[in-house]
Amino acid sequence: MAPSLSRSLGASSVAALRPCAGRGRGAAARCGRGVRWEAGSGSRGRLVRVRCDAAVAEKAEETAEEEKFEYQAEVSRLMDLIVHSLYSHKEVFLRELVSNASDALDKLRFLGVTDSSLLADGGELEIRIKPDPDAGTITITDTGIGMTKDELKDCLGTIAQSGTSKFLKALKENKDLGADNGLIGQFGVGFYSAFLVAEKVVVSTKSPKSDKQYVWEGVADSSSYVIKEETDPEKMLTRGTQITLVLRPDDKFEFADPGRIQGLVKNYSQFVSFPIYTWQEKSRTVEVEEDEEAKEGEEAKEGEQKKKKTITEKYWDWELANETKPIWMRSPKEIEKTEYNEFYKKAFNEFLDPLAYTHFTTEGEVEFRSVLYIPGMAPLSNEEIMNPKTKNIRLYVKRVFISDDFDGELFPRYLSFVKGVVDSNDLPLNVSREILQESRIVRIMRKRLVRKTFDMIEEISEKDDKEDYKKFWESFGKFIKLGCIEDTGNHKRLAPLLRFHTSKNEGDLISLDQYVENMPENQKAIYYIATDSLQSAKTAPFLEKLVQKDIEVLYLIEPIDEVAIQNLQTYKEKKFVDISKEDLELGDEDEDNKESKQEYTLLCDWVKQQLGDKVAKVQISKRLSSSPCVLVSGKFGWSANMERLMKAQTLGDTSSLEFMRGRRIFEINPDHPIVKDLNAACKNEPESTEAKRAVELLYETALISSGYTPDSPAELGGKIYEMMTIALGGRWGRSDTETEAATTGDASTETGSSEATVTEVIEPSEVRPESDPWRD
């Protein structure tokens, strides 16, 4: 606006513009939204008046009309959501209340450093839990900081108001005192989890800051609570808080059971830094005197010692529930190997020592402590194998158990056998503390846990004592192979851990590093063969030429092996090559092979003509030395071993078998007598029925020796029997009559002769042994 205005009025006129003055408020009111300007008299003595609407004035008026409102909440509905929709399991109420008690004790211990009077006359810092099955109540007592009346209203009367969070905030503001990271609470709703199992909650609390003790009472499904002063002398506390839960009828029998409470404490709060005592029924053996009734007419002798008997007496007493200490909170330098092993056995109910362990602390973006173990043996249950939800990793936040139900968030599936604990002070938890939210922090934690696990496994493999890694491989080798399939990003760390039998080491397992070290300089690939057993791998015809050339071959004898190797593709710039597939290059192509190919070209064409679509082509083999032939699979199709595995799949897709099976190549050995005879038959008598039958039998035999399954095993068996009959006929002096009879019998069976068969009746022998009971 300013440029156009200056052009119309001139610079001097614009400079002289000023608001109209001296006309009173009425004039200003009459201007309305506009702003009235007046130009002073210029050289020409004329007045210019400008009226403009200001957008700023409009905005100011709109702002004046805005009103600010506070969010409102229906308290009963909010409480219902917290109690019934926030937590997945009712049992977590005890975890939350014990965590609150631990925080109260932590606060008292912290404040007691500067004010020792707070700790006076309050006893030890501890938590006691007393279930009462008869009354249907649970009483949780701590000797912590307690609460005043105002704190009761502030902490328990305000939903989502965390006293611990306010305490930490005050500590951070006072930099001289620092902050206590051992405090657990952060959301301010844990207390209300008591209503998961209780229909009424009574909180009696005494703060060392106050001379009075107050009682807070709340009822489930109510929007109000009651606070009153405690007047009963028997219920007075020296210091701390006592929470009494009046259990619902449905939960009374489960959670009023002392054994159940003991189990929950051990599960969720085992590593709380303060002692937790539970009221338990115990038994002891005592000696008592036997009651003897004096017999009539007899008097007991004076000084006679009375007889005693041993009985079992039951009584109630406090029992420490969290005697196992959090070993990960200590420095690794202070802990002996036996302590790690004992902690492992107690925490995971194991009876064998672990194969290895690692204890570390991570700082930086993510701060957490962890102790990881490799078990001494594989899981006994098949359900736990390859199961990401094995409950082997226990997550703690400030020593309070959160969850062990993870679906690959902290560890990948192939490392699900690793057991251990992870403890962090600030993890991205949901309010219920049951769900670990997916975040960048979790991904960083996962990466570091996996890296430490690999370091631990590598330490076992590098030990001088190879028995430990042999045990590890027998138990968890399949898991490492699964990692080669699922985790391409860690191939460089997984591949050196693999172990295989080879053609030069049938008894011992060797690593890929050892294989590469043993390779000749001119060998450019790592050769392998996949079969169903070690014996079939050793006798496979594909090996003949490679063994003759002293080339080592890996034996893949487990179903997962072939898929794992195919996912690796290379190792130290050496490609993996399947010797059962076409285009096997051994680097020995010479003039003799070229001449053989030319000489047997006609035979290859003739055999292909006989076999038809059963094979893609027939060619001279570079891998055979003693076998007459072999059937190899196409370069991009399934191998014989993979085809066998896919057929065995319960939910396999049979329609893809023909597509993925790929083509089959029939390779023949030109140095074998059978092939030489067939070559002669091809040249001299190509229409010979016997030669054609020999080709068929040769192909079906190659199917079996190459690892394939024949389409009709019975038909193949018939052909073999026929060949045996021809080969064995009369060899051991069978008479011509018997031969003719057998031939005639076969002919009559084939033509379906209708002649009646005369049944020969054989009379029983008249000669009876001496022991015959029917003898006269």
Side-chain angles (χ1 to χ4, degrees), residues 275-291:
I276 303 174
Y277 296 93
T278 58
W279 189 248
Q280 297 294 321
E281 185 181 24
K282 299 182 178 182
S283 60
R284 58 190 172 192
T285 303
V286 296
E287 290 185 350
V288 296
E289 296 179 354
E290 290 186 355
D291 295 331

Side-chain angles (χ1 to χ4, degrees), residues 540-559:
F542 307 102
L543 283 171
E544 294 172 358
K545 206 73 171 183
L546 287 93
V547 172
Q548 188 177 353
K549 290 179 173 294
D550 198 33
I551 297 176
E552 193 170 13
V553 180
L554 299 176
Y555 292 160
L556 310 186
I557 58 177
E558 292 186 352

Side-chain angles (χ1 to χ4, degrees), residues 221-245:
D221 303 324
S222 175
S223 59
S224 61
Y225 58 89
V226 175
I227 296 179
K228 63 182 179 180
E229 183 180 345
E230 182 62 76
T231 56
D232 188 350
E234 296 181 357
K235 296 181 181 180
M236 288 297 179
L237 303 173
T238 306
R239 183 192 65 231
T241 302
Q242 185 179 81
I243 301 177
T244 302
L245 309 183

Side-chain angles (χ1 to χ4, degrees), residues 96-149:
E96 298 295 323
L97 296 180
V98 170
S99 298
N100 289 346
S102 175
D103 280 351
L105 293 167
D106 260 321
K107 293 175 189 175
L108 179 65
R109 182 171 60 180
F110 185 86
L111 296 175
V113 174
T114 55
D115 186 0
S116 58
S117 63
L118 296 176
L119 297 171
D121 301 330
E124 297 294 331
L125 301 180
E126 61 186 16
I127 302 169
R128 294 183 181 268
I129 306 173
K130 186 175 182 179
D132 188 342
D134 297 330
T137 61
I138 301 175
T139 303
I140 304 170
T141 307
D142 68 76
T143 56
I145 190 65
M147 288 178 281
T148 63
K149 183 177 181 180

Side-chain angles (χ1 to χ4, degrees), residues 114-336:
T114 55
D115 186 0
S116 58
S117 63
L118 296 176
L119 297 171
D121 301 330
E124 297 294 331
L125 301 180
E126 61 186 16
I127 302 169
R128 294 183 181 268
I129 306 173
K130 186 175 182 179
D132 188 342
D134 297 330
T137 61
I138 301 175
T139 303
I140 304 170
T141 307
D142 68 76
T143 56
I145 190 65
M147 288 178 281
T148 63
K149 183 177 181 180
D150 292 335
E151 288 172 340
L152 271 177
K153 290 189 291 184
D154 190 31
C155 296
L156 303 189
T158 307
I159 299 173
Q161 173 69 51
S162 172
T164 300
S165 297
K166 291 179 67 177
F167 184 73
L168 286 174
K169 184 178 180 182
L171 291 180
K172 289 178 181 179
E173 291 175 355
N174 189 347
K175 297 181 180 179
D176 295 334
L177 294 177
D180 184 7
N181 289 329
L183 296 171
I184 301 166
Q186 55 181 312
F187 298 115
V189 295
F191 168 77
Y192 306 104
S193 64
F195 291 107
L196 287 169
V197 296
E199 58 185 8
K200 181 181 179 182
V201 177
V202 179
V203 180
S204 182
T205 181
K206 171 69 168 62
S207 172
K209 303 176 186 178
S210 174
D211 296 331
K212 296 181 180 180
Q213 180 173 326
Y214 293 96
V215 177
W216 182 98
E217 289 187 8
V219 181
D221 303 324
S222 175
S223 59
S224 61
Y225 58 89
V226 175
I227 296 179
K228 63 182 179 180
E229 183 180 345
E230 182 62 76
T231 56
D232 188 350
E234 296 181 357
K235 296 181 181 180
M236 288 297 179
L237 303 173
T238 306
R239 183 192 65 231
T241 302
Q242 185 179 81
I243 301 177
T244 302
L245 309 183
V246 181
L247 298 176
R248 299 173 186 268
D250 295 342
D251 301 312
K252 184 182 300 184
F253 298 102
E254 178 181 0
F255 294 108
D257 178 26
R260 175 68 165 148
I261 295 298
Q262 179 91 337
L264 292 178
V265 172
K266 286 183 176 293
N267 184 41
Y268 287 104
S269 306
Q270 186 177 14
F271 302 110
V272 168
S273 55
F274 298 97
I276 303 174
Y277 296 93
T278 58
W279 189 248
Q280 297 294 321
E281 185 181 24
K282 299 182 178 182
S283 60
R284 58 190 172 192
T285 303
V286 296
E287 290 185 350
V288 296
E289 296 179 354
E290 290 186 355
D291 295 331
E292 293 184 355
E293 296 181 358
K295 297 181 180 179
E296 294 181 3
E298 296 183 3
E299 294 182 359
K301 298 179 179 180
E302 294 184 3
E304 182 180 358
Q305 189 176 2
K306 295 182 179 180
K307 295 181 180 180
K308 294 184 177 181
K309 63 179 180 180
T310 302
I311 63 171
T312 301
E313 180 183 63
K314 292 186 178 181
Y315 68 102
W316 290 84
D317 198 3
W318 294 104
E319 181 177 328
L320 183 63
N322 60 334
E323 56 185 350
T324 305
K325 302 303 178 184
I327 198 171
W328 63 86
M329 301 299 293
R330 296 162 55 190
S331 172
K333 297 178 182 179
E334 303 173 355
I335 308 173
E336 300 292 335

Side-chain angles (χ1 to χ4, degrees), residues 674-692:
I674 295 178
V675 177
K676 290 180 179 180
D677 289 342
L678 288 176
N679 188 35
C682 169
K683 293 178 180 179
N684 302 326
E685 197 174 347
E687 298 300 326
S688 171
T689 305
E690 292 182 357
K692 292 180 180 180

